[in-house]
Amino acid sequence: MNSGEQTSRSRRLRSGFRLGIGPRIALFAVLLVTITASVVGAVVYSGVNRLLVQEEIENLGDIADLVAVRLQTRFDVLRRDTQLMGNMPPVAALARAERGGGEDTTTVTDEVAELRIASIFVETLRSKPTYFKIQLIHRDGRELVDVQRRMGEIAVMPDTALRKNEGGSAFRQGLELLPGAVHLSQVAFAREDGRAERPHQPVIRSFTPVHVDNELFGVVVVSLDFDAAMGAILEREPQLADIHLFVTNSEGDYLYHPDPLQRFGFEFGRQYRIQDGYPDLAPLFLPGDTTVSTVVRETEEDGSVLHFLKVEVTPEQPEYFIGLALAASYHELLAPSIEVGRFSAVVSVILVAAAAVAAVVFARRLTRPIQELTHAAESVAAGDFDVSLPVSAGHEVGLLAHSFRTMVDQVEDRGLAVQQKAAELERVNRELEQFVYVVSHDLKAPLRAVSNLSTWLEEDLADRIGGEDREHLALLRSRVERMDEFIEALLALSRAGRVCAEPEPVDTHQMVADIVAMLEVPPRFSIQIAADMPQLETDRVHLAQVFGNLLGNAVKHHDRPDGTVRVGWVEKGDWYQFEVADDGPGIAPEYQDRIFQVFQTLKARDEGGSTGIGLAIVKKVVESVGGRIWVESSPGQGAIFRFTWPKRLPVNP
């Protein structure tokens, strides 16, 4: 399609649209804002308030579950600690000492055993700030060890302060437990001689019997400070600050209430129960009810939403539980949704009006330079480069126009430059091909003739020439051979990397070993090849050419007959990095770049037997597959030649 056809086609496309891009952008923006505002307003006024309330109710249940888990965990830990302390070796030692008249079979006296038990009790109280008291009580009711927390300090009660605890029903129930069993009491005030201690201390006591040699010895009692336990839970749950928390016993009596006066009313002969404030909860406290949790959602008139669940205390007594309830004001939950609805309605009206004005102004400003660019592009497509562009427009449009202008100015120049470079490249390639032909056909033949003539002269004049003349003829032939080597090296350099063979499986370890076998390696010389050299599919000939040159140079230019050459590799993403390292004379830094240039050697050519082209060929081959080669060396420290080789050959190397 020519430029005239393209221009006429673009004009037909534009004429097919009745509305330009500017009006369409403005119309779309207004419609989008209007629809969005309408949908948001409808959602807000038709049900968003209920969604927010439902979310808060679910959040209330999540918090209640979390608090219940924390409380249940404290009961489980209390039960476990009680059981552990009932099975302590010092307790058994004390029991045996009592039977043995003050000393057990291990010569531990009852005084020593009691000191050890008291020490363990003290450390337990220090590590568990919510524990209030730990006691070891003999089966006859005598306190053997009593460690308490008093005014923030831990005290071991002296023998004079120990009393005989009649125990009451809870203590007797502890004596009747099976070995290893643990019983947790109801939450109540701590008591001494049947009277509540001052100040009042709500505790839950954990009992476990102590059996030694199948004989009941006594009971270990651990008292948990219920207020301290609840305080620790509240500290870890800051979201409870805006929620009313109620904790009850299995009768519904408040153990924890936002109003302190309603806590533990049963201890003072008064009843403050949760079922009185929430009658729907009353069935949960009837005997035989096994409901674990329930959610009570009060109506708007009732004024609150409450989540209630039961926390199991003793698995063997499901009727004994701790009630946990979280309540929030229904009006407080609903207030954010009402406010959001009002705000959304006002914002929607403002947005629609503002969008209508802004869309029209913006569309006009945006589309004007775009239309100018469109006309300019059509002119350039038609071959007319003398166009006017909105380079003064701001932001991306101005940059685009400026870039378009630069592109238009450079198109013709670059096209001409490309044509010139293509012609020059074609000429250079022809000259290179001609050079290769001349070298291979016109230079090598005379060189062979010179070599043959020198040999014939030496043979025909064998009886008339002296030793000096023979040396001259030999030197002549060596120069001819050197010239032949140069020609072969130049041919190899011209062909290096130009023709890439089909990839084939290559075991680089075997390849290097075969190359080493063909080298003239001195008897004491060592060439070490990494055992885990990779296998890959690549151009075998070119890779072997690189390794052959590097290994040959490492052996030929070494300064000792007992040198060492190491061949290794590392993986670098999509590349293998190979290295050939020697411990030879090394290369000075000023020569490390020059050695990869043509005809550059570090020794005289007659002395080193080098054309100075080998590393140039290696560099050309490596770079033809996209890799690179470099050397790291210091004089007297050997040299490391490293080169990268692709795991997959490029498509057109």
Side-chain angles (χ1 to χ4, degrees), residues 74-381:
R74 291 192 176 272
F75 293 158
D76 293 341
V77 172
L78 175 62
R79 187 180 295 106
R80 182 198 62 194
D81 290 345
T82 305
Q83 192 174 50
L84 288 175
M85 282 182 280
N87 295 324
M88 292 188 305
V91 175
L94 180 61
R96 295 190 182 101
E98 182 188 58
R99 291 200 304 266
E103 183 174 296
D104 74 349
T105 56
T106 61
T107 68
V108 175
T109 64
D110 52 356
E111 291 84 2
V112 172
E114 289 177 357
L115 287 175
R116 292 179 179 176
I117 295 170
S119 176
I120 294 173
F121 286 178
V122 168
E123 292 302 320
T124 302
L125 287 180
R126 286 176 179 169
S127 63
K128 301 294 177 65
T130 58
Y131 287 178
F132 170 69
K133 180 190 298 186
I134 306 178
Q135 301 166 280
L136 174 60
I137 303 175
H138 194 269
R139 61 178 177 270
D140 62 6
R142 289 181 294 113
E143 289 183 337
L144 301 178
V145 180
D146 186 355
V147 179
Q148 302 180 14
R149 192 186 304 275
R150 295 284 184 177
M151 304 298 292
E153 299 293 333
I154 299 174
V156 179
M157 305 305 293
D159 292 342
T160 56
L162 298 178
R163 58 176 58 85
K164 184 171 183 179
N165 190 343
E166 298 298 333
S169 60
F171 173 71
R172 289 192 297 273
Q173 187 176 3
L175 294 176
E176 296 172 358
L177 293 174
L178 295 176
V182 179
H183 170 72
L184 269 64
S185 71
Q186 298 276 2
V187 180
F189 288 161
R191 283 175 163 74
E192 287 290 344
D193 299 328
R195 294 187 299 273
E197 295 184 3
R198 295 281 186 170
H200 296 140
Q201 183 69 53
V203 298
I204 178 171
R205 293 180 293 172
S206 177
F207 298 86
T208 188
V210 177
H211 289 80
V212 179
D213 301 330
N214 297 322
E215 181 179 351
L216 178 64
F217 173 65
V219 177
V220 169
V221 183
V222 181
S223 298
L224 173 71
D225 185 340
F226 187 78
D227 282 347
M230 290 302 304
I233 293 174
L234 293 175
E235 287 180 0
R236 299 188 63 180
E237 303 300 333
Q239 61 267 43
L240 290 173
D242 299 326
I243 299 174
H244 297 302
L245 173 65
F246 308 100
V247 181
T248 74
N249 58 18
S250 53
E251 301 297 326
D253 299 297
Y254 286 118
L255 306 178
Y256 186 90
H257 191 282
D259 181 6
L261 296 178
Q262 297 195 41
R263 302 177 186 177
F264 293 93
F266 61 93
E267 291 281 13
F268 305 101
R270 298 186 295 269
Q271 281 192 342
Y272 299 110
R273 297 188 174 185
I274 193 170
Q275 54 264 47
D276 297 332
Y278 299 93
D280 291 342
L281 297 180
L284 301 178
F285 297 92
L286 295 177
D289 182 84
T290 58
T291 305
V292 176
S293 65
T294 185
V295 177
V296 178
R297 299 175 184 173
E298 300 293 341
T299 63
E300 184 175 356
E301 290 74 20
D302 293 328
S304 64
V305 176
L306 180 136
H307 185 98
F308 178 86
L309 54 82
K310 296 179 181 179
V311 180
E312 185 179 73
V313 178
T314 302
E316 297 78 14
Q317 295 178 291
E319 70 277 6
Y320 171 34
F321 61 87
I322 296 293
L324 185 65
L326 272 70
S329 170
Y330 187 92
H331 295 285
E332 291 177 359
L333 297 179
L334 196 60
S337 66
I338 297 174
E339 186 64 26
V340 168
R342 293 174 180 172
F343 179 78
S344 299
V346 174
V347 170
S348 298
V349 175
I350 296 175
L351 284 178
V352 171
V357 176
V360 173
V361 176
F362 177 77
R364 289 180 178 177
R365 296 188 60 183
L366 177 64
T367 58
R368 184 180 298 111
I370 294 177
Q371 291 173 351
E372 294 178 9
L373 282 174
T374 302
H375 294 308
E378 291 173 354
S379 299
V380 172

Side-chain angles (χ1 to χ4, degrees), residues 402-467:
H402 187 273
S403 300
F404 191 86
R405 165 56 65 189
T406 303
M407 179 187 69
V408 170
D409 293 339
Q410 295 178 355
V411 164
E412 290 181 315
D413 295 340
R414 290 189 177 182
L416 180 60
V418 168
Q419 293 177 359
Q420 292 175 347
K421 287 188 177 294
E424 183 180 356
L425 180 60
E426 184 177 358
R427 179 182 60 79
V428 171
N429 285 336
R430 286 198 304 268
E431 292 178 355
L432 179 60
E433 292 176 0
Q434 184 179 4
F435 169 76
V436 173
Y437 176 80
V438 170
V439 169
S440 60
H441 292 84
D442 295 350
L443 293 182
K444 296 190 70 173
L447 287 176
R448 285 194 296 270
V450 172
S451 179
N452 292 336
L453 285 174
S454 67
T455 302
W456 295 341
L457 284 173
E458 186 175 2
E459 293 175 352
D460 294 343
L461 302 175
D463 55 346
R464 283 179 284 180
I465 60 176

